[in-house]
Every structure is written in C-alpha cells, then in structure tokens.
Amino acid sequence: MSTTNTSGRRKTAVARIYLSAGSGNITVNGKDYKEYFPTLPLQYIVTQSTEVAGVAGNFDVKVNVAGGGVKGQAEAVRLAIAKALVELNPEVKSALRAKGLMTRDDRMVERKKPGRRKARRRFQFSKR
C-alpha cells in the first residue's frame, strides 16, 4: 500500500498527514503524539478518527502541523486523518460523518473593529 497524503485545518492550524500501513504509530512534528499533545483529551481527539473507523493500530501516521494552539492543531490532525481514511475506504465515511469528524469547523476569530477595544467589546464608559 502506498502513502496517503491529506490535510486538515481548524482556526489557523494546518495539519498535513502521511498515512501508511503500519502498527499504529502517530508522529507529530518528529515527536510521538503523546509527547506533543500531553493531555488525555487532546490525545483522544487525535486518535478519535481511527477508533470510529475501527482501524486503530493498523496505520502509521506522520504529521506536520503548524499554526494555532494545541486544541486547534489536535482538531486539524483529527480532520486530516478522517479524510485520509475515507480516501482509502469510502465505506467508513458514514460512520465518521455521524460523529461529525468529516466536517471542517470554519469558525474563526472575529477581527478587531476600529473604535472598539476588541471585536465587539466597547471601551469603558465614564460619565465624568
């Protein structure tokens, strides 16, 4: 089997993955995913796609991820893995879609507006 190459995005994070047959190793930016994502919820997010598809431990995943924070990066990796699994086996798409793993979450941070402290927050009003 050859290597499957896909990408996933979330907020400003972009993950590029290379999925190949193997023993379940997930390497993120040269480190094991448990070292790169130290908390259990983030580790669960990264492995969620393979568990829902029922192929946990069958594929090696090499990930390059950049931008955003750790949560956005983990969710970008999850989407990329899901897309790669569907590319290999289209029958798992319905199971992944039912869990919401095939949809790119397109919410982004709203821009700061002029005359405001943040995007919607106004400056404090003082009636002096």
Side-chain angles (χ1 to χ4, degrees):
M1 183 189 115
S2 63
T3 302
T4 305
N5 176 10
T6 57
S7 66
R9 299 184 338 183
R10 171 74 170 99
K11 291 188 175 180
T12 58
V14 180
R16 296 172 297 143
I17 72 149
Y18 303 91
L19 189 92
S20 57
S23 58
N25 295 329
I26 301 176
T27 309
V28 181
N29 291 352
K31 298 179 183 176
D32 184 55
Y33 82 100
K34 291 184 177 180
E35 189 181 339
Y36 193 85
F37 298 112
T39 63
L40 286 173
L42 294 176
Q43 292 171 16
Y44 171 73
I45 287 170
V46 169
T47 57
Q48 191 175 6
S49 296
T50 55
E51 289 168 8
V52 169
V55 294
N58 296 357
F59 294 101
D60 286 342
V61 185
K62 184 178 179 299
V63 182
N64 294 320
V65 67
V70 286
K71 173 84 168 168
Q73 287 185 349
E75 292 182 6
V77 171
R78 175 175 70 183
L79 177 62
I81 292 173
K83 285 166 65 175
L85 292 173
V86 167
E87 210 171 287
L88 290 174
N89 182 10
E91 289 142 30
V92 300
K93 186 171 186 174
S94 59
L96 291 168
R97 179 154 316 277
K99 293 283 187 181
L101 304 180
M102 289 302 300
T103 307
R104 185 338 189 163
D105 189 349
D106 63 345
R107 294 177 295 171
M108 298 288 277
V109 176
E110 193 173 338
R111 78 175 193 89
K112 185 198 175 298
K113 314 295 188 309
R116 298 277 174 98
R117 203 171 87 189
K118 293 171 71 179
R120 298 186 180 204
R121 173 85 165 98
R122 290 176 162 86
F123 290 109
Q124 184 171 340
F125 178 74
S126 175
K127 209 168 143 180
R128 259 194 224 230

